[in-house]
């Protein structure tokens, strides 16, 4: 079966995607610099699939190391590129670090892909590229708005770089997957989200509050024009998201793509408010959550949820797991991680 490189393969979405790639029979090579992940994740992946992926610790900012990697693995048929910094708030404080890490490394990888006879490239993009969309649900043809953060800008620029590269490199076929809000953990409780430090995202903050690691959850604003005043997002189970990557890769490897560069939204198509997410957590965990309403968080959009028709019709992929499934798996994972400490 084809050899697939997964950069950032020890991260949250990366590790879940490696599991699904191995389940599909692919040979997986992981590159990760361990800046936002742990080598222990390899054990979790192996515990699930029974196969240890090849792992190479490598900083993609080191051009020479990237060249050497591809010289050694010139039989790579597909690349799924997760490796990037992804904290919106941090990107505002450290823009150059974000442009170097998210754009510089993408360029190094694409330069190596140009040398291969034929390669499929899946890019980890984000619904952040849409900003506050004018219409909901959001389709792939919604206009890309001025980015609200350097992080979001690196995703927009990354997509443009890939599009322009594919135009002059017919040997590269690419798909950008625009994720909505990935949450949850694998049902085996062997892998899950491992935020370093204080979580920026809602769901890990909920589970860390419930387990007693955080004092109280702050809900950022209750005066938005939504059903209950709190922001609405499209929370997609990370396992559904991982499976979508395998489907998208298969589309390219089998030459079923309609163009050399395509984009797909990956969401459930349903929006959930912050308070609805809290209620789901309390229902599946039986825990009462300690939270308070505070001021709005700068940069938050009011609502974002996906129009999933293109992914359903063209990829033949649809999310299967529910918000409750995701919250239940996230809680089980949190309990396991804390029990191991
Ligand atoms: C969700 C909702 C918050 C924390 C970001 C990135 C996106 C992707 C996912 C990387 C918002 C509210 C949150 C808290 C809260 N990241 N919230 N209290 O901002 O939609 O998306 O993470 O790819 O690109 O933009 O996700 O989980 O931070 O926030 O009330 O402690 O939860 O205001 O409405 P977001 P989030």
């Amino acid at each position: 079966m084809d050899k697939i490189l997964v950069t950032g393969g020890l991260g949250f979405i990366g590790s879940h995607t490696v599991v699904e790639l191995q389940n599909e029979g692919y040979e997986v090579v992981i590159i990760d610099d361990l800046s936002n992940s742990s080598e222990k994740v390899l054990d979790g992946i192996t515990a699930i699939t029974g196969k240890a992926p090849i792992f190479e610790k490598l900083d993609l900012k080191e051009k020479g190391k990237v060249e050497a990697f591809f010289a050694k693995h010139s039989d790579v048929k597909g690349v799924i590129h997760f490796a990037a910094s992804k904290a919106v708030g941090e990107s505002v404080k450290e823009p150059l670090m974000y442009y170097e890490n998210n754009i510089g490394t993408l360029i190094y990888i694409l330069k190596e892909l140009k040398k291969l006879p034929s390669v499929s490239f899946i890019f980890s993009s984000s619904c952040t590229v849409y900003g506050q969309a004018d219409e909901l649900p959001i389709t792939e043809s919604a206009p890309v708005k001025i980015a609200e953060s350097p992080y979001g800008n690196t995703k927009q620029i990354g997509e443009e770089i890939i599009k322009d590269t594919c135009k002059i490199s017919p040997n590269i076929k690419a798909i950008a997957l625009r994720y909505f809000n990935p949450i949850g953990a694998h049902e085996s409780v062997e892998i899950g989200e491992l935020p370093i430090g204080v979580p920026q995202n809602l769901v890990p903050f909920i589970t860390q509050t419930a387990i007693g690691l955080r004092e109280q959850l702050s809900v950022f604003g209750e005066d938005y024009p939504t059903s209950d005043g709190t922001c609405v997002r499209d929370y997609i189970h990370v396992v559904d998201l991982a499976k979508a990557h395998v489907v998208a890769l298969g589309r390219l490897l089998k030459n079923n793509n309609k163009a050399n560069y395509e984009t797909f939204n990956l969401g459930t198509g349903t929006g959930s408010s912050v308070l609805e997410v809290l209620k789901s957590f309390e229902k599946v965990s039986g825990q009462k959550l300690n939270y308070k309403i505070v001021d709005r968080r700068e940069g938050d959009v009011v609502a974002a949820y996906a129009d999933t028709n293109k992914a359903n019709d063209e990829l033949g992929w649809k999310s299967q797991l529910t918000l409750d499934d995701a919250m239940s798996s996230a809680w089980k994972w949190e309990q396991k991680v804390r029990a191991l400490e």
Side-chain angles (χ1 to χ4, degrees):
M1 208 32 169
D2 293 335
K3 181 189 274 189
I4 308 300
L5 164 61
V6 180
T7 73
L10 296 183
F12 175 38
I13 307 169
S15 56
H16 286 81
T17 301
V18 168
V19 164
E20 300 307 329
L21 286 168
Q22 289 192 318
N23 288 346
E24 199 71 15
Y26 289 105
E27 181 193 356
V28 177
V29 183
I30 293 172
I31 284 179
D32 203 300
D33 66 0
L34 302 179
S35 62
N36 191 23
S37 57
S38 153
E39 204 164 339
K40 286 207 292 287
V41 172
L42 268 179
D43 301 335
I45 293 170
T46 309
I48 297 169
T49 65
K51 281 172 285 188
I54 302 166
F55 166 59
E56 299 203 12
K57 183 176 184 294
L58 195 153
D59 182 346
L60 292 169
K61 292 194 292 294
E62 298 183 47
K63 189 168 184 286
K65 295 261 176 74
V66 176
E67 289 167 345
F69 175 89
F70 279 94
K72 182 175 155 191
H73 295 279
S74 56
D75 55 342
V76 161
K77 293 287 180 293
V79 176
I80 304 184
H81 183 46
F82 292 103
S85 302
K86 59 156 199 160
V88 172
E90 182 188 51
S91 76
V92 175
K93 299 187 193 99
E94 301 274 358
L96 287 178
M97 188 261 272
Y98 269 69
Y99 288 113
E100 181 185 39
N101 195 38
N102 292 9
I103 303 294
T105 57
L106 173 64
I107 291 169
Y108 290 161
I109 288 173
L110 290 173
K111 282 186 165 185
E112 294 311 307
L113 299 192
K114 277 170 60 73
K115 301 172 189 170
L116 300 177
S118 169
V119 65
S120 299
F121 185 68
I122 305 287
F123 180 62
S124 168
S125 190
S126 168
C127 63
T128 304
V129 302
Y130 299 114
Q132 177 55 71
D134 303 324
E135 285 175 40
L136 292 171
I138 304 172
T139 67
E140 287 81 355
S141 52
V144 168
K145 294 272 186 79
I146 303 283
E148 310 256 342
S149 70
Y151 161 74
N153 209 20
T154 66
K155 291 302 178 185
Q156 291 180 5
I157 297 167
E159 289 192 7
E160 290 304 308
I161 290 172
I162 297 161
K163 188 159 59 175
D164 290 344
T165 303
C166 290
K167 273 184 199 145
I168 51 106
S169 308
N171 65 313
I172 302 176
K173 299 165 286 185
I175 287 177
L177 296 175
R178 293 171 174 171
Y179 313 150
F180 281 68
N181 287 57
I183 62 169
H186 193 269
E187 61 184 356
S188 64
V189 207
E190 292 291 349
I191 54 175
E193 195 166 5
L194 284 169
I196 294 175
V198 179
Q200 299 304 304
N201 295 132
L202 177 64
V203 171
F205 208 107
I206 287 175
T207 56
Q208 288 192 11
T209 302
I211 202 105
L213 212 54
R214 307 290 158 207
E215 192 58 36
Q216 183 180 52
L217 170 78
S218 296
V219 171
F220 299 136
E222 196 183 35
D223 59 351
Y224 285 97
T226 61
S227 57
D228 59 18
T230 63
C231 293
V232 169
R233 296 287 184 277
D234 186 333
Y235 295 96
I236 176 170
H237 197 298
V238 65
V239 172
D240 276 332
L241 193 62
K243 289 179 175 172
H245 286 74
V246 179
V247 172
L249 179 69
R251 177 183 174 87
L252 296 181
L253 291 173
K254 294 178 200 128
N255 296 310
N256 291 336
N257 51 311
K258 290 196 176 137
N260 239 25
Y261 174 74
E262 298 173 300
T263 60
F264 290 93
N265 287 344
L266 294 183
T268 65
T270 303
S272 301
S273 73
V274 175
L275 291 179
E276 284 167 341
V277 174
L278 298 195
K279 283 192 193 75
S280 167
F281 176 77
E282 291 185 337
K283 181 173 77 172
V284 301
S285 67
Q287 302 274 328
K288 193 90 190 78
L289 203 75
N290 176 14
Y291 73 92
K292 66 178 174 188
I293 306 292
V294 299
D295 292 340
R296 295 182 173 192
R297 179 175 69 175
E298 180 131 2
D300 273 334
V301 297
V302 181
Y305 51 93
D307 178 307
T308 58
N309 287 318
K310 189 179 175 190
N312 299 163
D313 299 344
E314 296 200 29
L315 288 184
W317 168 89
K318 190 168 174 46
S319 62
Q320 302 299 315
L321 297 164
T322 66
L323 178 64
D324 287 355
D325 294 329
M327 296 311 288
S328 173
S329 63
W331 178 229
K332 289 192 179 91
W333 169 249
E334 184 69 58
Q335 290 171 293
K336 175 171 179 186
V337 168
R338 298 308 151 209
L340 293 176
E341 277 182 336

